[in-house]
Amino acid sequence: MPELPEVETTRRGLAPHVEGRRIQAVTLRRPDLRWPIPPEVARDLPGQRIQAVRRRAKYLLMDTEAGSALLHLGMSGSLRVLPATTPVTAHDHVDIALAGERGHAGRVLRFNDPRRFGSLLWQAPGQTHPLLQGLGPEPLSDAFDGDYLFAMSRGRKAPVKTFLMDQAVVVGVGNIYAAESLFRAGISPLRAAGKVSRERYAALADAVKAILAYAITRGGTTLRDFLSPDGAPGYFEQELSAYGRGGESCPRCGRPMKQALVGQRTTVWCGYCQR
């Protein structure tokens, strides 16, 4: 499933092409994706100008005066800005037609999702969609640091990897980037969250920020079906130190990397370098 860097890559790719453009029409080729598509999407978006494309956690919000389209890419979803004449393929479920401006021909923002685990929902002005309520801070924000993690972790017996992936603690740190951050910080994913020191949480917060920021510059991580809006894959996968490397040599000490299920997620770590 696309994680925060992939979603942020998508946002940055889309924004220059859609912000400020007026929506001509919305075409829904099916009434639902993961959940039913609310009637406001087709009823209220046409005629509106796109004010901004934002990201909250792994969701994209396309803001207009009438409200915001709330999109999640699911496991296989992609958003592409294409010429309006581009032929429709089997899994092109949603088209948002954009008016041509400043000498440009009309284009379409197309949502393709073969597995239909993605979603297209609606957030009314001045409201916060239930899926966005109760979320923790953004990991690249000033609100996320070692002191915050230390305070949130006190008394927690769950493994620190499970704690780090809790969206109520911090958003957008999924399995890949949790594994990579713990490896960089030298912390075992099995250690109880409440047993990690303030100093080690400072190192972990720094690792999360550095790895996410770098992954964004590299276009995210290509796993399964993810493509950025220009059709190019992300390249951070080629530089993974821990995720998916169970049984391989640790890039630091050369010992075999361990692998186990932690919170029902495959977890890889070095039993020597991570304590």
Side-chain angles (χ1 to χ4, degrees):
M1 181 176 292
E3 297 196 25
L4 186 150
E6 288 78 30
V7 181
E8 179 62 20
T9 298
T10 297
R11 188 200 69 78
R12 295 184 183 188
L14 292 177
H17 300 288
V18 304
E19 289 183 345
R21 302 291 291 272
R22 189 171 298 279
I23 297 171
Q24 281 188 325
V26 175
T27 301
L28 305 179
R29 298 190 179 88
R30 56 177 302 115
D32 62 354
L33 292 169
R34 183 175 182 182
W35 298 295
I37 300 174
E40 291 91 339
V41 172
R43 184 188 69 203
D44 297 346
L45 276 183
Q48 295 293 315
R49 192 175 297 276
I50 300 172
Q51 299 170 329
V53 179
R54 298 183 290 125
R55 180 190 55 76
R56 179 65 171 120
K58 299 178 186 179
Y59 292 89
L60 291 172
L61 293 100
M62 192 167 63
D63 296 333
T64 73
E65 286 188 0
S68 301
L70 180 65
L71 299 115
H72 193 287
L73 298 176
M75 295 182 68
S76 61
S78 64
L79 288 164
R80 306 281 297 279
V81 178
L82 304 167
T85 55
T86 303
V88 175
T89 62
H91 303 295
D92 292 336
H93 302 308
V94 179
D95 276 1
I96 299 176
L98 307 172
E101 296 183 5
R102 297 182 293 276
H104 295 289
R107 295 182 179 181
V108 61
L109 175 60
R110 181 162 290 171
F111 189 7
N112 177 286
D113 188 4
R115 303 184 193 182
R116 299 201 307 274
F117 285 120
S119 60
L120 173 55
L121 302 169
W122 185 255
Q123 179 173 281
Q127 298 184 12
T128 300
H129 193 278
L131 289 172
L132 303 183
Q133 295 175 0
L135 295 178
E138 292 284 335
L140 297 177
S141 71
D142 291 340
F144 178 73
D145 59 17
D147 289 339
Y148 168 79
L149 283 176
F150 181 76
M152 290 292 291
S153 66
R154 294 307 85 191
R156 301 226 185 180
K157 298 180 180 179
V160 64
K161 181 169 182 276
T162 303
F163 168 72
L164 188 62
M165 292 175 61
D166 184 344
Q167 298 297 290
V169 173
V170 58
V171 301
V173 184
N175 198 25
I176 298 170
Y177 297 101
E180 294 300 302
S181 299
L182 288 163
F183 179 81
R184 178 175 292 198
I187 299 172
S188 168
L190 307 182
R191 181 173 292 276
K195 298 297 184 180
V196 178
S197 69
R198 186 187 300 269
E199 292 74 20
R200 301 191 82 194
Y201 269 127
L204 180 58
D206 288 345
V208 169
K209 288 176 180 285
I211 286 172
L212 289 177
Y214 182 65
I216 290 170
T217 68
R218 298 287 282 153
T221 303
T222 301
L223 294 171
R224 300 187 178 95
D225 305 296
F226 175 73
L227 292 175
S228 62
D230 62 0
Y235 294 102
F236 186 67
E237 182 187 15
Q238 301 171 16
E239 304 169 51
L240 296 175
S241 298
Y243 181 87
R245 300 190 66 243
E248 298 181 21
S249 298
C250 171
R252 286 181 183 162
C253 71
R255 293 173 173 83
M257 302 283 280
K258 295 184 177 182
Q259 179 171 309
L261 286 178
V262 177
Q264 305 304 311
R265 305 300 297 272
T266 299
T267 299
V268 176
W269 75 102
C270 176
Y272 181 79
C273 296
Q274 293 174 254
R275 301 296 178 90

